[in-house]
Each structure stands twice: as structure tokens, then as C-alpha cells.
Amino acid sequence: METSPKKLWDKCLSLIKGNVTEQQYDTWFRPIVFEKFDPKTQTLLVKVPSPFVYEYLEQNFVDLLSKVLHHYYGEKVRLTYRIVTDNEHKISQDIEADPANAVTPQPKTRANEAPSLLDQHSADLDSNLNAHLTFNNYIEGDSNKLPRSIGASIAEHPNTTQFNPLFLYGPSGCGKTHLISAIGNRTKQLYPQKRVLYISAKLFQVQFTQAVISNRTNDFIGFYQTIDMLIVDDIQEWMGKGKTLDTFFHIFNHLFKNGKRIILASDRPPVELKDMPDRLLTRFSCGLIAELENPNKQLCVDILKYLIRKNGLNIPEDVIYFIAENADGSVRDLQGVINGLLAYSITYGGDINLKLAERCIKRAVKMEDKHTLTIDDIVTSVCNHYEVSATSINSRSRKHELVVARQVSMYLAQKYTRIPTSRIGKMIGNRDHSTVIHSCTAVENLLKANHAFAEEVASIENSFKLKKA
């Protein structure tokens, strides 16, 4: 029994749903309406609610659509969009998928396969870079100005040995992947002959495992030693992966000795990467370590305004500032809020106001708890308990009572906030992250050994609860 074209489309949507996030599906695929399929011309006609949805699908999901439509409708299927240009007067326009992005058979990917000797001198090496992540759309602010400037300098002068390796770290969603991808894209633009490769630590490990299984470890290492600029994302994934780390150590040494560029990204600084050999950690630290912080309120506003212009939305200033104030500072979450507002405007065509923004932001990000402790709250409570001033805690004094108060403040800040140790150090006494780590360890040891001290710290913690109540 033949399956109807409409049921085939339903199967397409079901397969797509399993390959995108729920929010992506609800925003971009659920609003698509099946119109008809002409078996003579092999043309599939679908209706989309706006020109923007059509453009977004073509730019971001053409590969996924291609594979799914070929699977159910066959290799010769032609996709045509019926775009609603005027909802009120029911005016639409039919546009065939752009030939440049047409639904054509895609070559089989070898991403998970271990590179071999055949790949070592290939002129058309796939860099794995996302072409949309560039310096042009990487909004600059206080939290990323230095890393961005250094990244641009590296891309423009990749043959210099300064700042090699570049080690970027910061919390999830702060823009690390965008920045390292922008460096790679700018390098490829300026120096097309350079062999630039972006790879996630997880995929590198998958390839390495494949190489071991197929007895091609030497080929695997040989391929990576031919790269001019190696960009590895999320290297914290390698913690405890001894064999992978040993192999990368040999690759790193070869590239470094031959003046090749190495760019690494992680969610934590080298000193906090556990179960990694010291010989590798020292190499990670011998170039430049740069921290990317979550964007502050002003940068959030600038990013939101850019996304709003890009998506053709009309959002009032008070809504923009509300989102910036209540989001947790993640660029990824800001995009999620904008996608939610966009989905609403596409589906219902209503105005975007403060009430709607409140609903969208609650779905996209965890709203900041107004009673959440800040470092200032913690330092104030510690100062009140030990009868010292915040100025003295932040001074360079080594008096015993001030050292204790400073260390307790750092310990409690690390326990009750999500702020990275490097930032805690800057905010309490302008110390570095190693001082914070040492202070936390010292307090933890003293809590176990000294009952009176443990009661003091518990008393300070109880004062937090009383304030929140």
C-alpha cells in the first residue's frame, strides 16, 4: 500500500524533530504547512508563514531538509516554498529553493572516521568551521575585548609565535566557540593556502578511538601534524582520558616546534583541569591564557539589539533592558529568548511587550533569583562577623584576622555563587585564581579539624538564610 505524499511529509517532520532541539522545531518547522506534491515534476510545495522563515530555513537547515526529503521522496525531489507575504490579505508567493542551496544529494561525511595518510596533503581540507561565526557578528564588550583583539591579531598574523598556544576559557554560553571559529574563518579568508582545522575534543577522541581500532594511529597523528592552525574546542572533555592526552601531547609538540598555531578552548583554566598530565598543562600555559566572562548588562543589550536587527523584529527598549537584566548573561540564552519572541510574532502576529518577554525568558533561561547572594553580600556578612572592614579585606595586609576573613569570603563565594575562581579573586583582594583555590582548600581543611571555626562559618551561613527570609 502506497503512502500518501502528506503522510510522507508527516514522517519528514517526525525525523526532523528527532534531529533538532524542541525550540528549533517549534519555531521553524511546526509552522510549515504541506500544500501538495506533484509526482510528474517531483515538486514538493510547502507553505511558510513569512519570508524570514524561508530565509532562515535556507541558511541554517538546508542540509537537514535535503537528507530528510531525499529519504522519503527520493533523490529527484524539488522543494518549493509558498511564502505568505501579507497575512491579512492572504497574499503569498511561490519560490523554488535557490539552486545554490537546492535539495541535491549530499556527499557522505567522514567526520567520525580517523584521518589517514590520504588526507595529509589534500588541498581541499574541510576546516569544519561554521562560516556564520565571524568577527563581523561577534559583538565586542568589556568581557571579551582583550581576547577578541588578540584573536583578530592571531588571525591576521598566524606565522608569528607570539601568544602560542592561545588558551581561552570561560563559562558555557560566553562566546568561546564563536571566537575561536572567527579566528579560523578570518585566517582562511586572509591565507587560503593555510590548513586550518576546527574540531571538538569529543570528535577528536572518537577519531582517535577509530584509529586505534583500525590500527591506523600513526596515520591519525601524521594527519594532525600537517595542520597549520589547529583549533580544539571543549578540551575539558579530555580529563582522565590518558591515551587521548598522550597522543595529543605528541601532536602538540610537533606543531609547536614547527611554529604552527594551536588554539584551545575550555570551560575552566588549565590549573583546574583535573587528571591531565603536568607536561601537557605546562604547555597549555606557555602561550597566553585569556578568560571570557559572561557578557555584562550593556553587552547583553548590544547583543540583543544586534539579534533584533538581524531577525527584523520590533522590540521596545523596556523589553530589551528587561531581558538583559534578567537573563543569566549567556549569549546562547539570549538567542533562545529572541527565538521565542520571534516564534510568537510569526505564529500570532501580536505585539512584543513586557508580559510576553517575561513568559519567553522563563522558558529560555533560569530567571535570576533576586535573593541570590552576591559577593558583596558575602563580604559584608563576613566583615560583620569578624568586625573588620571590606577595605581591609581587599587590602594586601597579611594580618591573621584579615587573612582568615579573606579566605572565608573566597570559600563562601565559591560555595554560594556560580562565579569562576578567577573572577572571585579579582573581586576579593584582586588576587588570582590560584589564591582562591588555596584559600578554599585551607578553609575546608580547617572546617574538618577545628570545631569552633566550623561553628563560626556556620553562623555566617545562617545570617545569609535570615537575610533571604
Side-chain angles (χ1 to χ4, degrees):
M1 182 177 175
E2 287 190 10
T3 306
S4 70
K6 172 62 170 64
K7 287 184 178 178
L8 288 176
W9 173 250
D10 291 339
K11 289 184 176 182
C12 287
L13 288 179
S14 179
L15 186 55
I16 288 170
K17 191 172 185 179
N19 285 273
V20 297
T21 66
E22 183 179 353
Q23 186 176 58
Q24 286 174 330
Y25 180 80
D26 289 341
T27 303
W28 306 111
F29 294 99
R30 191 182 293 281
I32 303 175
V33 178
F34 172 87
E35 291 284 293
K36 65 180 180 179
F37 176 73
D38 186 344
K40 291 183 180 179
T41 61
Q42 294 288 297
T43 300
L44 172 67
L45 179 65
V46 296
K47 184 168 72 174
V48 294
S50 74
F52 176 75
V53 173
Y54 153 72
E55 291 173 5
Y56 196 91
L57 288 169
E58 284 285 279
Q59 289 176 10
N60 297 278
F61 294 108
V62 67
D63 287 343
L64 178 60
L65 280 168
S66 168
K67 291 171 184 175
V68 172
L69 294 180
H70 285 145
H71 181 72
Y72 287 109
Y73 287 94
E75 298 274 325
K76 296 181 180 179
V77 63
R78 299 168 64 86
L79 178 62
T80 298
Y81 298 93
R82 176 161 289 170
I83 305 166
V84 177
T85 54
D86 188 334
N87 214 13
E88 185 179 350
H89 299 95
K90 297 182 179 179
I91 300 172
S92 62
Q93 176 186 8
D94 290 358
I95 298 180
E96 188 175 346
D98 190 333
N101 293 325
V103 183
T104 54
Q106 298 292 315
K108 291 184 179 179
T109 179
R110 300 173 55 222
N112 290 343
E113 294 181 13
S116 68
L117 286 168
L118 295 175
D119 301 308
Q120 288 194 23
H121 302 290
S122 172
D124 57 348
L125 172 69
D126 183 358
S127 65
N128 290 337
L129 289 162
N130 183 338
H132 297 290
L133 302 179
T134 68
F135 282 110
N136 291 336
N137 55 20
Y138 188 79
I139 311 303
E140 183 179 306
D142 291 340
S143 63
N144 62 27
K145 188 171 185 178
L146 177 63
R148 187 188 191 282
S149 174
I150 292 167
S153 175
I154 288 172
E156 290 166 8
H157 309 285
N159 295 325
T160 62
T161 56
Q162 192 178 25
F163 306 138
N164 195 30
L166 172 63
F167 189 106
L168 290 171
Y169 75 95
S172 176
C174 69
K176 299 187 297 294
T177 299
H178 191 149
L179 180 54
I180 61 179
S181 299
I183 296 170
N185 280 315
R186 176 71 65 83
T187 303
K188 284 296 292 181
Q189 179 188 13
L190 297 175
Y191 304 90
Q193 77 283 4
K194 291 283 185 187
R195 289 170 62 80
V196 177
L197 181 65
Y198 165 92
I199 191 165
S200 68
K202 189 172 184 179
L203 180 54
F204 180 93
Q205 190 178 350
V206 169
Q207 290 182 350
F208 171 65
T209 303
Q210 184 73 25
V212 172
I213 292 170
S214 58
N215 198 27
R216 290 195 289 117
T217 307
N218 288 338
D219 287 356
F220 174 83
I221 294 173
F223 164 78
Y224 275 98
Q225 288 179 341
T226 69
I227 303 302
D228 295 313
M229 177 180 283
L230 179 59
I231 304 169
V232 188
D233 204 356
D234 291 323
I235 65 165
Q236 72 276 357
E237 297 279 349
W238 288 341
M239 290 192 295
K241 311 296 183 184
K243 292 182 179 179
T244 301
L245 291 166
D246 286 342
T247 300
F248 185 72
F249 174 79
H250 295 300
I251 293 170
F252 184 105
N253 270 357
H254 179 89
L255 296 178
F256 186 79
K257 288 177 181 177
N258 287 276
K260 307 299 183 182
R261 274 286 169 188
I262 304 165
I263 299 170
L264 308 169
S266 171
D267 66 358
R268 65 202 75 185
V271 70
E272 293 181 23
L273 291 170
K274 299 177 181 178
D275 299 322
M276 283 197 179
D278 289 340
R279 62 177 185 169
L280 200 51
L281 292 177
T282 55
R283 282 162 174 78
F284 289 168
S285 306
C286 70
L288 176 71
I289 301 172
E291 180 183 11
L292 272 174
E293 300 173 7
N294 275 331
N296 59 20
K297 179 181 172 182
Q298 184 55 52
L299 183 53
C300 284
V301 169
D302 293 341
I303 292 170
L304 285 167
K305 287 183 176 180
Y306 167 78
L307 294 172
I308 289 164
R309 288 196 305 272
K310 177 186 173 186
N311 293 321
L313 292 170
N314 183 19
I315 300 182
E317 286 281 314
D318 62 333
V319 175
I320 294 172
Y321 280 91
F322 171 79
I323 296 170
E325 285 173 355
N326 289 279
D328 63 3
S330 165
V331 179
R332 196 174 294 125
D333 288 343
L334 293 175
Q335 178 70 71
V337 175
I338 294 298
N339 285 345
L341 295 173
L342 180 61
Y344 178 89
S345 67
I346 289 171
T347 306
Y348 301 105
D351 292 334
I352 295 174
N353 53 33
L354 206 54
K355 188 175 181 180
L356 173 62
E358 202 166 34
R359 275 169 34 205
C360 287
I361 199 171
K362 282 179 180 177
R363 294 191 199 106
V365 302
K366 182 179 179 181
M367 290 285 283
E368 184 178 332
D369 184 355
K370 296 303 180 184
H371 297 294
T372 296
L373 287 169
T374 66
I375 285 185
D376 286 341
D377 294 332
I378 291 168
V379 170
T380 299
S381 294
V382 172
C383 287
N384 289 339
H385 180 85
Y386 287 107
E387 298 181 349
V388 296
S389 67
T391 303
S392 59
I393 281 185
N394 291 320
S395 71
R396 307 303 295 183
S397 173
R398 297 296 302 167
K399 288 183 179 178
H400 176 71
E401 65 271 19
L402 295 181
V403 171
V404 171
R406 191 180 300 126
Q407 289 182 336
V408 170
S409 297
M410 290 178 176
Y411 167 78
L412 294 174
Q414 194 244 10
K415 182 176 179 179
Y416 285 97
T417 73
R418 293 184 295 171
I419 300 171
T421 53
S422 57
R423 187 66 179 160
I424 291 172
K426 288 178 184 176
M427 296 177 73
I428 303 177
N430 196 26
R431 266 56 169 192
D432 60 22
H433 60 267
S434 61
T435 302
V436 178
I437 294 169
H438 169 76
S439 297
C440 292
T441 302
V443 171
E444 287 169 358
N445 291 337
L446 198 54
L447 286 171
K448 296 173 185 175
N450 189 320
H451 181 69
F453 177 72
E455 286 186 344
E456 284 187 6
V457 175
S459 174
I460 296 170
E461 291 179 288
N462 285 334
S463 73
F464 298 159
K465 296 172 186 176
L466 289 172
K467 285 181 180 179
K468 289 176 72 174

